[in-house]
Amino acid sequence: DTAVSQTPKYLVTQMGNDKSIKCEQNLGHDTMYWYKQDSKKFLKIMFSYNNKELIINETVPNRFSPKSPDKAHLNLHINSLELGDSAVYFCASSQDPSGRSLGMKTQYFGPGTRLLVL
Amino acid sequence: AQSVTQPDIHITVSEGASLELRCNYSYGATPYLFWYVQSPGQGLQLLLKYFSGDTLVQGIKGFEAEFKRSQSSFNLRKPSVHWSDAAEYFCAVGARAGGTSYGKLTFGQGTILTVHP
């Protein structure tokens, strides 16, 4: 069974559209994250949620809105997609009661969602 | 703010040869340090991490890394590379408690490892 899964795996869409990426983890973890990996392979954290509460919110356009319906799910909704949003988006999870102990808790990553905006 | 530099974008080694991937970081104190590996089409897998104590850290798949404070480095090594080690490797630094960077991981741009038979 996949520990951290993401859907879809590939997403090709037009500029201006609204799209969502879903993430689910079956590890029983309480903290989940979204990362963006750009074309130069730089991986940057976007958000982290702990027990459905937003903990980390990096400098991300407000077109990006994470939603955590429960501890096992963290979805990412993107409004008015732009060309620069093209990237690979990774979801991750960890068992981290504080939601901020990135240094102490191993993060488990999903396979990524490859988003291409045309 | 912390930063991570991986000077080598692409490294090619022969199977059975030794490997060293370089990582330099910038941070005001002793950071948390990590190495992750990403196979094609896959997510990132943690190889090893350093928090404190012994500066030589052992990880999975026969990898090790050494923290050198004086050089601000955390290089990854393996004595004998296997073809299955071909992947992309990312070094990352995590800020310790305090400050606006607390709780965030900063990644380097990655080093692609190619293994020749």
Side-chain angles (χ1 to χ4, degrees), chain A residues 11-17 81-84 86 115-118:
Chain A
L11 183 55
V12 181
T13 188
Q14 300 286 333
M15 264 197 320
N17 284 350
L81 278 156
E82 300 177 357
L83 294 177
S86 297
L115 171 64
L116 177 60
V117 182
L118 302 175

Side-chain angles (χ1 to χ4, degrees), chain A residues 41 58 90 100 102-103 106 110, chain B residues 38 43 51 88 102-104:
Chain A
K41 294 298 185 73
E58 278 294 89
F90 286 101
R100 280 190 167 271
L102 289 183
T106 298
Chain B
Q38 183 179 21
F51 297 150
E88 189 157 13
Y102 177 48
K104 300 173 188 173

